[in-house]
Amino acid sequence: MSRVTLSRYLIEQTRSHNTPADLRFLIEVVARACKAISHQVSKGALGGVLGSLDSENVQGEVQKKLDVISNEILLEANEWGGHLAGMASEEMDNAYQIPGKYPKGAYLLVFDPLDGSSNIDVNVSVGTIFSVLRCPDEQQGETGDLGEDAFLQPGTEQVCAGYAIYGPQTMLMLTLGNGVKGFTLDRELGSFVLTHDTIKVPESTKEFAINMSNQRHWEAPVQRYVGELLAGESGPLGRNYNMRWIASMVADVHRILTRGGVFMYPRDGRDPAMPGKLRLMYEANPMAMIIEQAGGAATDGSQRILDIQPTSLHQRVPVFLGSKEEVLRITAYHRS
Ligand code: AHM
Ligand code: MG
């Protein structure tokens, strides 16, 4: 049987679901950039790419060399093709303007170039998360700078979301709004090949993921819920749960897509100005779309993540996502 590469899958999507050619091109370019990032990540100490820089990003986090390299790979790959009106990234304070010498297009690309950077130096899986939005008509083709407000659209408006995971295998997980497909990088072929055709998050689970070291800072609903999970068989949920925390959202979400589970990064009391750690536009929204498309659920404790109206590019939100039964339970605890 012939293998279905990402390119072939996208062409079939154009035929069966009218995926526009420029969106197809955009995804191909992002995938190519992810291959280049995967290559850089895999060099490790041999490529001199590990370690930190002296700089900080807009969130005050120290940038790793690979954060900056990955950001540049994505910008350079995507700026010239004529399919984008602008880009935004975890690593840049403001929206990235397409240089005047290149044509502009209809889409916006938002990304976290290398999520889980704290894991790079210890050789644990990291990844690239991305989200594609349509540029509002009135801002397309405008001369002058594209404003931040063009990006501030709820996650329901995403036309595509995905992530690449750089682990024992490099994989690209993708949704165009009709299910989730998983592609594995065939390094001999140089292509992503469709290996996971039907991805479904089981409705119930016995596995949870949370950074337990923050327990003393959590709000009451999360204390209650995790307390019940830890109580196991003798508690109100009547069964034992297992815990995993990789501290790389891509790796934790990938496990959940593979075998179910619930992932939580709640708001906590450490910094009242910070409603959670994860960013809405390039972490929570793309992951929420992928999880929903695989039959799971994603909320911020009170509402569906995809319904949140963003107010700024680097906005943070609490995140609860994964197997439906558990996400609905913790959401109900927030409401009661
Ligand atoms: P980053 O984008 O700076 O890498 O931060 C996001 C990461 C997520 O991948 C992960 O779920 C979380 O931060 C881990 O946080 P913690 O260090 O509290 O365990
Ligand atoms: Mg991140």
Side-chain angles (χ1 to χ4, degrees):
M1 202 183 80
S2 71
R3 300 202 294 174
V4 177
T5 59
L6 175 68
S7 306
R8 179 169 156 192
Y9 168 73
L10 291 172
I11 287 175
E12 283 169 6
Q13 286 293 298
T14 304
R15 292 199 194 111
S16 59
H17 287 84
N18 282 328
T19 302
D22 52 347
L23 178 58
R24 195 177 86 207
F25 180 61
L26 163 53
I27 297 167
E28 295 250 27
V29 175
V30 171
R32 211 176 304 145
C34 290
K35 272 188 246 175
I37 297 171
S38 167
H39 186 65
Q40 292 295 330
V41 168
S42 70
K43 286 184 189 171
L46 294 175
V49 291
L50 301 183
S52 302
L53 296 168
D54 291 334
S55 52
E56 286 186 352
N57 65 14
V58 63
Q59 6 254 326
E61 296 158 346
V62 175
Q63 289 180 303
K64 299 276 184 181
K65 284 186 201 163
L66 272 169
D67 281 329
V68 174
I69 293 171
S70 307
N71 195 53
E72 270 159 21
I73 289 175
L74 279 156
L75 294 178
E76 276 171 25
N78 283 286
E79 66 181 0
W80 55 270
H83 47 277
L84 286 178
M87 292 184 254
S89 153
E90 175 174 329
E91 301 303 335
M92 298 182 297
D93 303 9
N94 303 311
Y96 180 83
Q97 307 296 327
I98 302 297
K101 58 184 170 181
Y102 298 129
K104 288 189 187 151
Y107 295 102
L108 301 170
L109 178 65
V110 192
F111 50 83
D112 179 352
L114 204 58
D115 182 59
S117 327
S118 66
N119 286 314
I120 298 170
D121 296 347
V122 293
N123 202 1
V124 166
S125 299
V126 289
T128 299
I129 311 173
F130 62 93
S131 157
V132 180
L133 296 159
R134 267 191 207 89
C135 183
D137 287 344
E138 64 280 8
Q139 304 218 32
Q140 271 181 46
E142 264 186 17
T143 49
D145 281 2
L146 181 74
E148 178 173 319
D149 52 328
F151 292 84
L152 303 182
Q153 308 175 38
T156 45
E157 296 299 314
Q158 294 173 107
V159 291
C160 164
Y163 67 83
I165 178 167
Y166 313 118
Q169 304 101 43
T170 286
M171 287 192 71
L172 182 76
M173 310 300 282
L174 185 72
T175 180
L176 295 166
N178 55 343
V180 182
K181 302 285 174 191
F183 302 84
T184 305
L185 180 60
D186 180 331
R187 291 183 194 275
E188 283 149 35
L189 207 64
S191 306
F192 281 106
V193 175
L194 181 63
T195 46
H196 296 63
D197 198 18
T198 316
I199 295 173
K200 279 271 158 257
V201 178
E203 281 209 10
S204 65
T205 181
K206 290 183 183 174
E207 202 158 68
F208 69 102
I210 193 165
N211 183 344
M212 284 296 298
S213 69
N214 297 324
Q215 179 167 23
R216 67 193 180 285
H217 305 294
W218 296 339
E219 295 177 333
V222 182
Q223 297 284 6
R224 173 184 169 194
Y225 176 65
V226 176
E228 290 179 2
L229 298 176
L230 295 177
E233 244 167 28
S234 56
L237 303 181
R239 57 183 176 175
N240 296 326
Y241 284 75
N242 188 24
M243 197 197 92
R244 288 284 181 274
W245 183 251
I246 304 175
S248 240
M249 192 189 197
V250 280
D252 280 310
V253 168
H254 197 73
R255 184 188 60 253
I256 290 171
L257 282 178
T258 311
R259 67 175 190 214
V262 56
F263 171 96
M264 296 171 269
Y265 213 115
R267 177 202 316 273
D268 65 40
R270 279 176 292 176
D271 178 355
M274 235 172 77
K277 176 179 185 190
L278 301 175
R279 274 59 51 114
L280 174 62
M281 300 289 301
Y282 41 80
E283 291 175 325
N285 266 342
M287 290 310 202
M289 181 175 181
I290 292 169
I291 288 287
E292 282 198 6
Q293 286 294 320
T299 76
D300 69 350
S302 59
Q303 64 171 326
R304 190 177 166 219
I305 284 176
L306 296 181
D307 285 336
I308 298 173
Q309 173 59 52
T311 52
S312 69
L313 217 44
H314 301 287
Q315 174 177 350
R316 298 176 192 258
V317 284
V319 173
F320 302 91
L321 60 77
S323 294
K324 224 176 208 164
E325 205 177 85
E326 298 299 332
V327 174
L328 297 185
R329 193 194 314 277
I330 175 87
T331 307
Y333 288 4
H334 279 82
R335 288 177 181 154
S336 62

